[in-house]
């Protein structure tokens, strides 16, 4: 049990948090450890195993937070990851986080976990919400029935956590005796369990649990039993007459229902504003209206608050940094150092003015939206639209995250049940304007041409996404599972959590993007002084100035944009030597430049995550595709506008 | 072998196993050859009582389920009659099997009344109600309640997910919201679950 003495890879964490999706595991994880896991209100926020440390009675314990699952199995990538972790590595204590408001459904997994005979404690989260729902749960009786401790907690506000840690401590210290509730299956299944139990030799989980799992998952991948053929024949024989997975599921659900009935008293729930909100946002007509309102609000807040902040930051940067530093820089003896300093400062200025305000505001809004529980409703409302792209509503959540950053969005596609959906959604995510690209759209087109044109860029990009999905969906092979997604309760976003999430998502920008901008600007400065810049831009000029009708300097910024998308625009300011694009570019050029930035190559970070998830070949194909698309569309749209009488 | 026997057997397999019925298992159960099963299936397909996929197997349509349940109801009522009134324990199944085909709907209803509308057959299986409305979940209107009969999908991941969410045969469900021709939100075991139309089309329910 003392895992830290052994190899962690084999042994797993001391404490494992597991439970249904959206039960607050990551929230509890943050409470137990000093880690900062992203917490949101939709199923599938956590798609990777998160690890942290906690100290209980002066002992350092390792804690793992697993993706939420409904079942120990392998019906999706995240479910497989969590199941493998629990089954293959023996955790010291399982903390089964249960949504108290959905006790019966949650108990299904609990009963399955109990079969593993691992020391376990049940954390009854959202206990404080029960009263509003007219439910009362006799958690002590529940504990007696299950044979495992049950602790009511409020993971968000931290109530009950101390009792929970004491219980975990007691389990780890003492040789906790457990006499768990035992699901009795139908006779024919019990007989098969007996037979298989005698054959299998694995000892990482109890033989009974292994046998049940084999019967349930007739092609589960963890099945590495030595006597495969003999087990296979028992299962095959039984499968002729019985649907084992369904029968076992039905039995477990039945017994979960019985237990829930014994400990729960239900009264008529109080009427709440959130019930009204739920109806308003999911009824056919009002649902559509609310969708438009939400999207409009995001756009408007970016445009108004983002622009305001951008100008404010620009003004103060000039007063505090640019103006006082100008005479100082002039005193530097060499031109090369002068250029490095002045360009570096301009780079920081551009970063502050362009990227930060829009990225910050967007994440603030996204974080709040995630916490309300609206994203799954969007998935529901847009399911039919997604069918046109041969996808389902569930792809909406990763795509919405894609408006923030493509990297976590591509990871979030793990909630999708099959490879085809994952790849297609990832391709579309690469085309979705992430917050960095949003910063370019607003900081260039929005600020210098107008909100209408910024909206037009979104329109063009979304139309292209739709077209690509429509065409690729037809040709990509594979069968697609439909939408199956739990609708979480509406909850009021907690300011603290939203701010924390925003900070975690923006801090990368501070630590990575700013140094990059400074270095990038300085390097450009040096290249310019030595006259190398012209040499580099020359080979690209047929595409950049010929086809895309942009100034040649734009080409070099597009190369930098591969590192981070917003750098393309920031360096354009630096190279142009002015904080107004209009001084060296026409409105049409700004428009084309922005469109190209929005579409081409989804930055180096995204390439890395694509490669990790799908391999080199597929990820490079996706990137090349976006470059070709961006250049083609940029030139075409430019010519179209030019033909309509808009001057070059 | 009569058409009803096939419907009955397919229903039994689907109800019990929550999956498609295979040609070979039908042949085995009905003691006929594979080709004659295939021939009958083609006929049933023409009458829109079943759907057939070469590699998936046979699945009843909503219409097929209704027809099958009619016969099963007669069969089960007869069984109740034999065991309860006539006190015949043995062989009541075989005799019921023979009579079910000739028993008229009206006579079955009379029998139901005389037996005081039994809920379960002697084996403990629920007896379908008269005129019970069996439809695909897609056709269930908003706000209505239903009981799951079975799920007919070949997609394993989909079936497993539905199983773990509690959408198993006999589960009680309620349509919370519905978009026209689109997805719906279903209340199962207290939680609201959005289901896409193609998932709903594989779930057969009895409207309550």
């Amino acid at each position: 049990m003392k895992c830290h003495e052994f190899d962690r890879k084999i042994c797993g964490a001391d404490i494992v948090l597991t439970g249904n999706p959206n039960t607050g595991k990551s929230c509890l994880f943050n409470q137990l450890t000093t880690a900062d896991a992203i917490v949101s209100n939709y199923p599938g926020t956590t798609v990777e195993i998160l690890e942290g440390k906690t100290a209980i009675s002066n002992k350092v314990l390792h804690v793992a937070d697993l993706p939420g699952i409904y079942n120990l199995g392998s019906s999706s990538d995240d479910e497989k990851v969590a199941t493998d972790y629990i089954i293959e590595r023996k955790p010291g204590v399982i903390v089964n986080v249960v949504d108290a408001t959905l006790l019966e459904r949650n108990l299904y997994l609990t009963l399955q976990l109990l079969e593993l005979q691992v020391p376990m404690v049940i954390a009854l989260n959202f206990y404080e919400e029960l009263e509003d729902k007219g439910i009362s749960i006799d958690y002590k009786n529940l504990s007696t029935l299950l044979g495992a401790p049950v602790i009511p907690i409020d993971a968000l506000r931290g109530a009950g956590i101390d009792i929970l840690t004491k219980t975990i401590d007691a389990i780890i210290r003492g040789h906790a005796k457990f006499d768990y509730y035992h699901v009795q299956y139908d006779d024919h299944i019990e007989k098969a369990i007996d037979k298989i139990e005698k054959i299998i030799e694995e000892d990482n989980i109890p033989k009974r649990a292994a046998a049940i799992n084999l019967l349930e998952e007739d092609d589960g991948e963890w099945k590495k039993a030595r006597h495969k053929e003999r087990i296979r024949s028992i299962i095959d024989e039984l499968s002729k007459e019985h649907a084992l997975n369904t029968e076992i599921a039905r039995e477990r659900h039945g017994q979960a229902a019985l237990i829930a009935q014994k400990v729960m008293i239900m009264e008529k729930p109080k009427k709440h504003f959130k019930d009204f909100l739920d109806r308003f946002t999911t009824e056919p007509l009002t649902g559509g209206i609310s969708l438009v309102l939400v999207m409009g609000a995001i756009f408007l807040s970016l445009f108004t608050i983002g622009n305001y902040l951008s100008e404010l930051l620009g003004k103060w940067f000039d007063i505090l940094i640019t103006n006082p530093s100008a005479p100082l820089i002039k005193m530097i003896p060499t031109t090369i150092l002068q250029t490095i300093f002045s360009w570096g400062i301009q780079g920081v200025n551009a970063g502050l003015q362009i990227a930060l305000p829009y990225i910050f505001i967007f994440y603030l809004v996204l974080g709040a939206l995630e916490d309300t529980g609206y994203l799954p409703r969007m998935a529901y409302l847009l399911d039919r639209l997604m069918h046109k792209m041969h996808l389902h509503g569930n792809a909406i959540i990763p795509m919405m995250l894609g408006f923030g950053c493509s990297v976590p969005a591509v990871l979030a596609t793990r909630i999708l049940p099959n490879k085809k959906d994952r790849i297609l959604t990832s391709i579309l995510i690469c085309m979705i304007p992430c917050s960095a690209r949003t910063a370019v759209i607003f900081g260039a087109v929005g600020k210098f041409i107008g909100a209408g044109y910024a909206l037009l860029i979104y329109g063009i990009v979304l139309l292209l996404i739709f077209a690509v999905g429509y065409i690729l969906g037809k040709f990509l092979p594979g069968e697609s599972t439909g939408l199956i997604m739990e609708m979480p309760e509406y909850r009021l976003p907690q300011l603290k959590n939203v701010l924390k999430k925003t900070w975690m998502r923006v801090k990368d920008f501070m630590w990575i993007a700013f140094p990059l901008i400074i270095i990038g600007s300085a390097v450009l400065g040096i290249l310019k002084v030595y006259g190398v810049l012209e040499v580099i831009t020359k080979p690209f000029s047929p595409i950049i100035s010929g086809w895309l009708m942009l100034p040649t300097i734009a080409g070099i910024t597009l190369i930098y944009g591969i590192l981070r998308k917003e750098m393309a625009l920031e360096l354009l300011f630096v190279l142009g030597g002015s904080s107004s694009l209009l001084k060296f570019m026409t409105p049409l050029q700004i428009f084309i430049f922005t469109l190209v930035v929005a579409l081409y190559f989804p930055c180096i970070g995204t390439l890395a995550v694509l490669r990790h998830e799908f391999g080199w070949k597929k990820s490079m194909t996706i990137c090349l595709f976006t470059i070709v698309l961006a250049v083609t569309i940029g030139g075409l749209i430019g010519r179209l506008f030019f033909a309509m009488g808009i001057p070059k | 072998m009569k058409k009803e026997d096939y419907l009955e057997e397919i229903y039994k397999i689907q109800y019990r196993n929550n999956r498609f019925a295979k040609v070979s298992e039908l042949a085995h159960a009905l003691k006929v050859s594979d080709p004659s099963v295939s021939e009958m299936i083609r006929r049933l397909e023409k009458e829109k009582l079943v759907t057939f996929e070469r590699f998936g197997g046979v699945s009843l349509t909503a219409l097929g389920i209704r027809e099958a349940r009619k016969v099963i109801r007669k069969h089960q009522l007869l069984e109740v009659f034999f065991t309860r009134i006539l006190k015949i324990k043995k062989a009541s199944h075989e005799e019921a099997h023979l009579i079910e085909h000739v028993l008229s709907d009206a006579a079955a209803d009379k029998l139901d009344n005389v037996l005081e509308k039994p809920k379960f057959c002697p084996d403990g299986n629920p007896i379908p109600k008269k005129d019970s409305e069996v439809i695909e979940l897609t056709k269930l209107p908003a706000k209505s309640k239903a009981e799951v009969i079975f799920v007919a999908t070949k997609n394993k991941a989909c079936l497993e997910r539905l199983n773990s969410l509690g959408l198993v045969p006999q589960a009680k469900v309620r349509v919370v919201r519905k978009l026209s021709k689109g997805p719906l939100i279903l209340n199962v075991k207290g939680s609201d679950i959005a289901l896409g139309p193609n998932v709903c089309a594989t779930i057969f329910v009895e409207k309550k």
Side-chain angles (χ1 to χ4, degrees):
Chain A
M1 213 79 71
K2 287 192 192 77
C3 275
H4 32 271
E5 291 167 13
F6 303 110
D7 184 1
R8 187 141 309 282
K9 282 239 162 73
I10 301 162
C11 218
D14 301 307
I15 303 170
V16 164
L17 307 181
T18 183
N20 282 185
N22 215 36
T23 51
K25 292 172 293 299
S26 297
C27 197
L28 178 61
F29 179 70
N30 287 349
Q31 291 279 4
L32 289 175
T33 66
T34 49
D36 289 314
I38 297 266
V39 174
S40 298
N41 184 18
Y42 64 85
T45 307
T46 309
V47 289
E48 285 181 299
I49 293 164
L50 306 175
E51 284 175 321
K53 284 177 190 171
T54 188
I56 295 178
S57 341
N58 300 321
K59 243 192 317 188
V60 178
L61 298 174
H62 289 263
V63 189
D65 175 24
L66 305 186
I69 48 173
Y70 293 107
N71 173 45
L72 292 174
S74 56
S75 61
S76 65
D77 284 1
D78 50 347
E79 188 177 283
K80 201 171 133 38
V81 164
T83 305
D84 285 352
Y85 196 95
I86 298 171
I87 286 178
E88 284 173 5
R89 308 180 184 190
K90 218 171 181 173
V93 184
I94 290 180
V95 177
N96 175 213
V97 184
V98 162
D99 182 344
T101 63
L102 293 169
L103 183 66
E104 184 186 328
R105 221 274 317 286
N106 277 249
L107 278 179
Y108 178 84
L109 179 69
T110 306
L111 292 180
Q112 205 174 10
L113 288 169
L114 289 176
E115 281 166 356
L116 298 177
Q117 297 285 326
V118 173
M120 183 159 125
V121 49
I122 290 134
L124 209 54
N125 198 16
F126 302 120
Y127 193 73
E128 78 292 345
E129 283 185 17
L130 288 178
E131 205 185 311
D132 272 356
K133 303 204 103 198
I135 304 172
S136 61
I137 294 177
D138 181 353
Y139 68 88
K140 284 181 184 145
N141 192 17
L142 181 63
S143 171
T144 319
L145 285 172
L146 294 177
V150 178
I151 318 289
I153 62 162
D154 176 353
L156 194 60
R157 289 166 201 90
I161 306 293
D162 47 339
I163 306 173
L164 182 67
T165 48
K166 271 181 203 153
T167 314
I168 294 171
D169 185 38
I171 292 174
I172 287 174
R173 275 164 183 278
H175 308 280
K177 262 186 271 168
F178 35 89
D179 182 19
Y180 291 150
Y181 183 89
H182 178 95
V183 180
Q184 186 75 27
Y185 297 98
D186 285 343
D187 276 353
H188 59 274
I189 292 176
E190 285 293 339
K191 271 182 203 146
I193 293 172
D194 279 348
K195 274 191 216 160
I196 296 175
E197 262 187 275
K198 287 191 188 107
I199 301 172
I200 41 180
E201 286 167 356
E202 291 132 314
D203 51 5
N204 59 344
I205 59 168
K207 290 188 170 158
R208 180 180 166 82
I212 295 169
N213 241 310
L214 284 168
L215 287 170
E216 254 182 303
E217 281 262 312
D218 54 5
D219 37 42
E221 282 205 29
W222 68 277
K223 197 186 71 181
K224 291 154 198 149
R226 209 169 300 169
H227 300 286
K228 249 186 266 177
E229 293 74 27
R230 282 167 70 193
I231 295 170
R232 180 87 267 167
S233 73
I234 296 173
I235 296 173
D236 283 348
E237 184 59 37
L238 208 57
S239 304
K240 273 186 200 152
E241 285 270 313
H242 300 276
L244 296 169
N245 186 293
T246 303
E247 283 179 15
I248 291 173
R250 185 155 60 183
E251 195 57 50
R252 229 184 254 136
H253 275 302
Q255 301 199 23
L258 281 177
I259 297 171
Q261 275 164 24
K262 277 185 196 157
V263 299
M264 260 168 62
I265 301 169
M266 298 245 275
E267 284 158 33
K268 215 174 159 51
K270 292 175 197 163
K271 278 273 165 211
H272 274 282
F273 175 67
K274 64 182 174 190
D275 300 322
F276 164 76
L277 200 63
D278 179 46
R279 183 165 313 132
F280 188 83
T281 50
T282 49
E283 288 283 7
L285 181 66
T286 53
I289 295 171
S290 57
L291 190 65
V292 173
L293 286 177
V294 168
M295 297 310 263
I298 297 175
F299 186 85
L300 215 65
S301 61
L302 276 173
F303 190 72
T304 55
I305 309 172
N307 272 2
Y308 173 76
L309 279 180
S310 167
E311 266 159 40
L312 200 70
L313 282 170
K315 203 173 85 189
W316 283 102
F317 193 85
D318 280 349
I319 295 172
L320 294 175
I321 314 266
T322 318
N323 298 345
S325 68
L328 291 175
I329 289 172
K330 283 225 176 83
M331 278 153 52
I332 298 173
T334 53
T335 1
I336 181 100
L337 280 178
Q338 265 188 24
T339 322
I340 289 173
F341 272 99
S342 64
W343 284 40
I345 288 171
Q346 277 187 57
V348 175
N349 186 12
L352 272 179
Q353 254 191 78
I354 299 152
L356 193 61
Y358 302 107
I359 291 177
F360 177 74
I361 295 295
F362 180 80
Y363 274 131
L364 212 57
V365 178
L366 180 72
L369 198 66
E370 282 176 340
D371 286 11
T372 57
Y374 186 67
L375 292 185
R377 267 93 180 167
M378 280 184 79
Y380 166 70
L381 289 169
L382 293 172
D383 186 55
R384 265 175 72 195
L385 181 74
M386 298 301 285
H387 286 180
K388 299 245 166 28
M389 293 184 257
H390 304 268
L391 285 170
H392 298 281
N394 43 13
I396 281 289
I397 291 185
M399 284 172 80
M400 276 304 286
L401 297 184
F403 281 97
C405 176
S406 313
V407 174
V410 169
L411 285 177
T413 60
R414 290 185 186 172
I415 62 167
L416 302 178
N418 56 32
K419 264 260 141 34
K420 180 199 169 175
D421 286 20
R422 284 200 63 191
I423 290 189
L424 183 52
T425 310
S426 298
I427 295 172
L428 302 183
I429 285 169
C430 290
M431 295 170 66
I432 287 175
C434 62
S435 59
R437 284 175 262 187
T438 296
V440 177
I441 296 172
F442 281 87
V445 173
K447 209 166 163 186
F448 297 107
I449 316 180
Y453 287 94
L455 209 56
L456 186 62
I457 296 254
Y458 278 100
I460 294 170
V461 171
L462 291 179
L463 208 67
L464 281 173
I465 290 172
F466 186 82
V468 168
Y470 185 84
I471 297 164
L472 277 186
K474 275 191 184 162
F475 296 113
L476 281 179
E479 188 195 11
S480 182
T481 315
L483 172 72
I484 306 176
M485 185 182 281
E486 202 180 347
M487 298 286 110
E489 288 271 308
Y490 271 127
R491 293 194 169 101
L492 199 66
Q494 300 289 312
L495 186 65
K496 203 180 131 197
N497 188 44
V498 174
L499 286 176
K500 196 171 134 189
K501 274 201 282 193
T502 308
W503 165 243
M504 281 158 54
R505 287 162 164 172
V506 174
K507 83 176 173 204
D508 261 11
F509 177 77
M510 306 287 276
W511 303 147
I512 299 169
F514 272 107
L516 265 180
I517 297 167
I518 297 171
I519 297 167
S521 310
V523 169
L524 279 186
I526 298 167
L527 294 178
K528 173 109 185 178
V529 171
Y530 287 109
V532 189
L533 213 52
E534 283 76 25
V535 182
I536 300 176
T537 47
K538 201 143 199 188
F540 296 103
S541 77
I543 296 175
I544 303 297
S545 29
W547 171 244
L548 293 172
M549 303 183 288
L550 295 173
T552 28
I553 47 159
I556 199 97
T557 66
L558 288 176
I559 295 171
Y560 270 97
I562 290 172
L563 294 178
R564 294 187 59 95
K565 294 306 276 264
E566 78 279 1
M567 271 181 89
L569 179 61
E570 289 158 359
L571 294 175
L572 194 62
F573 281 97
V574 176
L575 280 174
S578 166
S579 55
S580 172
L581 286 180
L582 290 169
K583 287 211 175 126
F584 54 94
M585 276 167 97
T586 64
L588 182 60
Q589 285 179 324
I590 297 174
F591 191 88
I592 297 170
F593 176 80
T594 308
L595 192 61
V596 172
V597 171
L599 288 172
Y600 88 105
F601 199 92
C603 92
I604 204 94
T606 312
L607 177 63
V609 75
L610 285 174
R611 191 202 62 83
H612 181 258
E613 299 292 300
F614 308 116
W616 268 120
K617 215 175 131 193
K618 288 197 176 84
S619 52
M620 285 312 289
T621 315
I622 295 175
C623 290
L624 269 175
F625 168 73
T626 58
I627 294 172
V628 172
L629 185 76
V631 172
T632 315
I633 296 295
L636 285 178
I637 296 274
R639 271 166 187 71
L640 183 70
F641 275 15
F642 185 64
M644 282 159 65
I646 294 165
K648 273 186 194 169
Chain B
M1 277 294 147
K2 292 200 173 64
K3 177 172 105 180
E4 284 90 357
D5 292 315
Y6 280 87
L7 293 177
E8 207 178 336
E9 199 52 45
I10 299 169
Y11 181 86
K12 272 191 205 157
I13 291 168
Q14 288 201 277
Y15 185 70
R16 196 174 50 213
N17 296 333
N18 214 17
R19 61 162 168 78
F20 288 25
K22 292 174 210 131
V23 171
S24 58
E25 82 190 316
L26 282 172
H28 180 78
L30 296 165
K31 299 188 181 67
V32 290
S33 66
D34 281 12
S36 43
V37 173
S38 300
E39 200 193 311
M40 179 59 95
I41 287 169
R42 266 195 291 278
R43 216 182 104 193
L44 295 174
E45 210 179 5
K46 250 183 220 155
E47 294 177 46
K48 298 210 164 23
L49 292 165
V50 300
T51 54
F52 178 66
E53 283 170 62
R54 186 177 284 253
F55 297 106
V58 203
S59 179
L60 293 169
T61 61
L63 183 67
I65 295 174
R66 284 195 288 267
E67 290 298 315
R69 281 163 69 97
K70 252 190 221 167
V71 191
I72 285 167
R73 176 167 176 265
K74 284 177 188 169
H75 182 106
Q76 289 176 324
L77 287 172
L78 286 167
E79 277 185 345
V80 175
F81 175 70
F82 288 146
T83 49
R84 204 196 286 172
I85 312 287
L86 305 183
K87 315 274 185 219
I88 306 171
K89 286 257 151 54
K90 269 189 183 169
S92 65
H93 177 75
E94 274 71 29
E95 292 193 86
H97 204 73
L98 292 171
I99 307 174
E100 68 190 30
H101 299 296
V102 289
L103 191 71
S104 70
D105 291 355
D109 292 345
K110 283 264 158 58
L111 191 58
D112 192 28
N113 284 335
V114 170
L115 295 168
E116 291 166 330
K117 303 195 184 296
K119 284 211 171 85
F120 297 96
C121 81
D123 297 329
N125 294 319
I127 302 176
K129 281 198 204 72
K130 193 200 166 201
D131 303 326
S132 69
E133 203 180 325
V134 174
I135 42 178
E136 292 99 337
L137 187 53
T138 7
K139 300 216 173 89
L140 198 64
K143 311 274 183 266
S144 51
K145 290 180 182 176
E147 188 179 306
V148 177
I149 296 177
F150 54 72
V151 181
T153 177
K154 279 190 302 173
N155 188 325
K156 260 205 173 97
C158 178
L159 184 65
E160 265 173 38
R161 181 53 59 88
L162 293 176
N163 279 344
S164 58
L165 284 168
L167 263 162
V168 288
Q170 286 162 44
K172 308 241 180 325
V173 298
R174 177 170 55 90
V175 180
V176 183
R177 305 260 190 278
K178 192 177 177 184
L179 298 176
S180 64
K181 286 187 207 154
L184 49 78
I185 297 180
L186 199 67
N187 190 285
V188 193
K189 297 195 170 282
S191 78
D192 287 349
I193 293 156
L195 296 174
N198 45 348
V199 178
C200 293
T202 65
I203 304 173
F204 290 97
V205 297
E206 181 188 351
K207 202 178 160 196
K208 290 279 169 185

